[in-house]
Amino acid sequence: MAKCQYVRRTLQNFTTRYTCEGSDLRVKCFSEKVRDARASLGLSQPQVAQLTGVSVRSVLAYEKGEKIPRQGTMLKLAKALQVSVKFLMCDECDNPVEDMEKDGYIEQARERYGIQGAKDAEELLKENAALFAGGELSQEQKDAFFEAVMKAYITCKEAAREKFGRD
């Protein structure tokens, strides 16, 4: 039986990590995922910094587990590392491309409506994904679904903007 140690780190919203000794079952945290993804692409820290628009010091802090980027920077980081935001943020996620199709739609909402728009879009996509009830969809079907939801979201936001003069 593997000994499990509970390691608690305080980062932005308290990141919790479990490490199992004597077992190859190990949950990777944000910092390890950033470091591993960068290394697997053969990118240097300065290259990642340039791709994401942050300082080399910030990239180093991400890899040391001292800092977590804001949502807009997280999207740029995920894109630069060719992984999904969910993969970076969710310690239990071990699939680097899981929910990657959502990232572009959330970024589009952020560009048009700011941080709150991105949060609203992310929540909308998350809530509607529950409609699948465990069923499997092809990538084409997922893309069509997310596109339809985002089109409806943007249409409603634009109508509210025209009617009320705000988002």
Side-chain angles (χ1 to χ4, degrees):
M1 183 191 257
K3 284 185 180 178
C4 289
Q5 293 180 338
Y6 175 80
V7 180
R8 187 177 193 142
R9 291 187 176 178
T10 322
L11 296 172
Q12 201 167 357
N13 292 325
F14 297 105
T15 301
T16 305
R17 183 174 146 210
Y18 295 91
T19 307
C20 293
E21 294 177 5
S23 170
D24 54 358
L25 174 65
R26 187 166 185 281
V27 176
K28 286 189 176 182
C29 65
F30 171 76
S31 60
E32 293 170 314
K33 290 178 179 184
V34 170
R35 186 176 47 250
D36 292 350
R38 178 185 59 76
S40 73
L41 291 172
L43 296 173
S44 66
Q45 290 172 338
Q47 288 172 316
V48 172
Q50 184 178 15
L51 289 169
T52 57
V54 299
S55 68
V56 175
R57 186 175 181 172
S58 289
V59 174
L60 183 60
Y62 302 155
E63 291 188 4
K64 285 184 169 184
E66 298 171 349
K67 184 176 176 181
I68 293 181
R70 294 175 187 243
Q71 185 175 15
T73 305
M74 182 66 76
L75 286 164
K76 292 176 188 175
L77 181 62
K79 187 175 180 179
L81 297 174
Q82 299 175 14
V83 298
S84 68
V85 170
K86 181 176 182 175
F87 173 73
L88 291 177
M89 292 304 299
C90 179
D91 290 352
E92 292 78 25
C93 181
D94 61 358
N95 179 355
V97 296
E98 187 171 329
D99 285 352
M100 187 180 271
E101 61 275 354
K102 291 181 184 178
D103 293 348
Y105 297 111
I106 294 167
E107 176 61 14
Q108 180 183 8
R110 188 187 66 75
E111 287 173 358
R112 285 181 169 213
Y113 309 113
I115 293 170
Q116 188 59 48
K119 288 178 182 178
D120 292 345
E122 186 172 14
E123 187 64 27
L124 180 66
L125 292 172
K126 181 180 170 184
E127 288 176 6
N128 282 286
L131 297 173
F132 304 143
E136 291 296 318
L137 294 178
S138 69
Q139 188 60 44
E140 187 176 296
Q141 291 169 322
K142 284 182 183 180
D143 290 342
F145 169 76
F146 291 129
E147 189 172 329
V149 169
M150 286 307 298
K151 184 176 180 181
Y153 172 75
I154 289 169
T155 300
C156 290
K157 289 290 276 187
E158 293 300 322
R161 184 179 274 173
E162 286 178 24
K163 186 172 183 175
F164 302 109
R166 59 184 174 166
D167 293 337

